């Protein structure tokens, strides 16, 4: 996208990537260009797996899909799953995805957050799915991811009423795992990433594979993944180091 204004600001290290949604003039509304950049980022992380942190610029995660574009989309666009495809690809990334949510995370912005493995936020969060008020449904993951996260009854209330949860409510409902002040949010996301990065990357990837597997895949998938890890030199190295540390106490 040379010569085109970027929608994502990306910072990279050896074990993580931080992607900042950066369309402050639209409260980081998700347009086609941002979706294209998310696909490009996913391709990078599929080829070179690292932890992903998603955060929004200027105290807003994402106010939703870009309504100016959404208004003009037709049936064939709905069937193409423009946002759905990108968010599903984020959910399926090999390593964990952390969404650091501040301010508005509405509609497609909320669904992007739902695609993450871990969500943290601030007291100022407003997260929900107002799509039915705009004459559409939440079709980029909310109708099946949200029940997995908060349960069917609470998901139904949110999706039918279109109301937005506060940060405190989202924490109580289990939609967010912790709350932080806005100025501390990114550091809190990096602290989680630090703890993940200290573990064996392959074991972390396999844990995510097992977590995301279909119910009827268990327990066979865990046993096969564990069998591979039991043959891993890293497993032997880490367990030997553990035993040596314990013997010195």
């Amino acid at each position: 996208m040379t010569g085109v204004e970027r929608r994502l600001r990306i910072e990279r290290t050896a074990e993580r990537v931080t992607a900042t949604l950066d369309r402050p003039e639209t409260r980081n509304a998700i347009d086609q260009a941002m979706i294209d950049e998310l696909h490009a980022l996913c391709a990078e992380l599929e080829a070179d797996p690292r932890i992903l942190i998603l955060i929004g610029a200027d105290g807003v995660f994402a106010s939703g899909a870009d309504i100016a574009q959404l208004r003009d989309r037709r049936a064939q666009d709905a069937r193409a799953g423009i946002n759905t495809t990108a968010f599903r690809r984020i959910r399926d990334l090999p390593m964990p995805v952390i969404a650091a949510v501040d301010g508005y995370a509405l509609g497609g912005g909320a669904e992007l957050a739902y695609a993450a493995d871990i969500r943290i936020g601030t007291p100022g969060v407003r997260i929900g799915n107002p799509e039915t008020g705009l004459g559409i449904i939440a079709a980029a993951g909310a109708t099946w991811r949200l029940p997995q996260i908060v349960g069917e009854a609470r998901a139904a209330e949110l999706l039918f009423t279109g109301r937005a949860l506060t940060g405190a409510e989202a924490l109580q409902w289990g939609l967010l795992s912790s709350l932080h002040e806005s100025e501390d949010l990114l550091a809190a996301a990096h602290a989680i990433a630090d703890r993940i990065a200290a573990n064996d990357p392959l074991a972390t990837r396999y844990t995510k594979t097992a977590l995301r597997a279909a119910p009827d895949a268990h327990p066979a998938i865990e046993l096969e993944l564990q069998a591979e890890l039991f043959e891993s030199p890293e497993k032997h190295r880490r367990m030997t180091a553990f035993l040596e540390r314990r013997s010195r106490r």
Side-chain angles (χ1 to χ4, degrees):
M1 295 181 65
T2 304
V4 178
E5 185 177 356
R6 306 280 307 182
R7 269 42 174 176
L8 300 179
R9 284 190 282 111
I10 299 177
E11 299 177 14
R12 298 171 174 86
T13 68
E15 78 279 335
R16 78 193 64 168
V17 171
T18 302
T20 302
L21 283 61
D22 192 15
R23 293 188 72 207
E25 72 281 1
T26 64
R27 294 182 175 177
N28 303 326
I30 299 168
D31 66 352
Q32 182 65 61
M34 187 180 289
I35 290 295
D36 293 342
E37 291 185 38
L38 287 170
H39 276 298
L41 178 58
C42 285
E44 175 185 337
L45 294 175
E46 289 159 359
D48 181 11
R50 282 163 288 169
I51 300 161
L52 173 61
I53 296 173
L54 292 169
I55 193 167
D58 290 359
V60 175
F61 186 70
S63 59
D66 190 303
I67 300 299
Q69 290 187 3
L70 198 60
R71 182 185 57 186
D72 294 332
R73 289 179 181 167
R74 309 296 293 177
Q76 66 269 22
D77 300 305
R79 294 188 178 102
I82 294 169
N83 288 4
T84 303
T85 304
F87 298 169
R88 186 157 199 163
R89 198 170 179 184
I90 289 167
R91 181 177 174 84
D92 291 341
L93 285 172
M95 288 290 282
V97 178
I98 303 166
V101 185
D102 196 5
Y104 292 112
L106 300 174
E111 290 176 303
L112 175 58
Y114 303 158
D117 300 290
I118 299 169
R119 287 165 299 279
I120 63 174
T122 71
V125 160
R126 297 294 182 272
I127 186 168
N129 292 91
E131 281 89 346
T132 53
L134 295 169
I136 58 174
I137 68 170
T143 57
W144 58 278
R145 286 196 187 108
L146 194 55
Q148 293 173 351
I149 298 167
V150 302
E152 289 188 7
R154 284 175 161 172
E157 180 189 335
L158 285 185
L159 294 172
F160 289 144
T161 66
R163 80 177 182 94
L165 297 179
T166 66
E169 289 173 319
L171 178 66
Q172 181 185 13
W173 284 26
L175 187 52
L176 300 175
S177 59
S178 60
L179 291 183
H180 310 270
E181 295 304 319
S182 294
E183 60 270 22
D184 300 324
L185 182 62
L186 183 57
H190 278 296
I192 295 170
D194 287 341
R195 295 199 64 166
I196 295 170
N199 298 325
D200 174 27
L202 185 60
T204 299
R205 289 177 59 178
Y206 282 7
T207 297
K208 180 166 180 175
T209 298
L211 277 170
R212 296 301 182 216
D216 60 2
H218 304 283
I221 190 167
E222 285 90 352
L223 301 183
E224 186 55 39
L225 293 169
Q226 191 77 300
E228 292 186 35
L229 291 170
F230 272 17
E231 299 297 326
S232 164
E234 184 66 7
K235 170 247 187 180
H236 186 271
R237 186 192 71 79
R238 285 175 175 263
M239 290 191 176
T240 299
F242 173 84
L243 293 170
E244 289 174 348
R245 287 194 303 271
R246 189 172 67 177
S247 68
R248 291 195 294 267
R249 291 176 184 170

